[in-house]
Structure formats: C-alpha cells, structure tokens
Amino acid sequence: AVVSTQSTGFMKQFRIDQLIFPEDIKKRGVEDIPGYHFRDDGMAWWKNLRQYCQEFLELHYTSDELVSGDTELLSFLDELRNKGFEKIPEKANFPEKLSTVTELVDFITM
C-alpha cells in the first residue's frame, strides 16, 4: 500500500515536460555546477538522440504541414493523452496536437 500511495502522489504531480532532459536540468537548477557528470553525460546523450530523431523524422516530415496534417499522428496522440494519461490531473499537460517538425522531434526525443 505504501508504494501505491507514493506512486499515486508522484503521478498527481507528473507533467510530460519533466521528460525533457534539458528542461529538467534547468528546473533542478544544476545547469551551472562545475563537474556535474550526470548533467554533462546526460546532455551529450540527449543531444545525440535528438539529432538522430530529427534526421530520421525529417526523412518523412519535410514540412510543418505534413506534421499538422497527419491524422494517424493525431490519433496516436489522442490515444496516449486520453487513455494513457486519463487518470493524471490535466492529463500531465500532454499535447493535444503537434504542429511543427520541431515539436514532433522534441516529443519523440523525450
């Protein structure tokens, strides 16, 4: 019961932007600590992952219009938001839509 209570408390406070590594580092206030290897290594991994996601996604999504007009992507987001995050307050600020290639890359890089 303790784990369930703790996880419930966490999920009530969870927001999707907590999964964006650079934003999490800023929020924690550790972006300027010298020699902070977790941040330094994590940022290197995140930048590489984001670059890979961007290069891959730009093979298909060559314009923002292709992202905003993708009905399958919209259905996927809708299902995640309304089924995966339905019990979390404000659905964890999960996006209802993605309108640009940059938004899609950021979302997938999480």
Side-chain angles (χ1 to χ4, degrees), residues 16 77-78 81 91-98 107 110:
I16 198 75
L77 288 172
D78 183 64
R81 178 179 167 79
K91 299 188 190 215
N93 283 350
F94 198 87
E96 292 183 34
K97 63 180 181 162
L98 299 172
F107 179 78
M110 282 190 241

Side-chain angles (χ1 to χ4, degrees), residues 69-80:
D70 188 333
T71 56
E72 289 182 18
L73 179 60
L74 187 60
S75 294
F76 172 68
L77 288 172
D78 183 64
E79 186 168 338
L80 283 175

Side-chain angles (χ1 to χ4, degrees), residues 32-103:
D32 296 323
I33 296 174
Y36 187 43
H37 301 295
F38 173 76
R39 176 209 52 227
D40 299 341
D41 295 345
M43 285 301 294
W45 276 98
W46 186 84
K47 286 177 184 177
N48 287 329
L49 177 62
R50 189 182 189 291
Q51 180 180 352
Y52 173 80
C53 290
Q54 181 174 355
E55 290 173 8
F56 185 84
L57 290 167
E58 285 177 348
L59 292 172
H60 178 71
Y61 295 101
T62 54
S63 70
D64 293 340
E65 291 76 22
L66 288 173
V67 173
S68 62
D70 188 333
T71 56
E72 289 182 18
L73 179 60
L74 187 60
S75 294
F76 172 68
L77 288 172
D78 183 64
E79 186 168 338
L80 283 175
R81 178 179 167 79
N82 294 309
K83 295 201 185 326
F85 291 91
E86 68 182 328
K87 295 182 181 179
I88 299 173
E90 300 172 25
K91 299 188 190 215
N93 283 350
F94 198 87
E96 292 183 34
K97 63 180 181 162
L98 299 172
S99 301
T100 67
V101 175
T102 300
E103 288 176 355

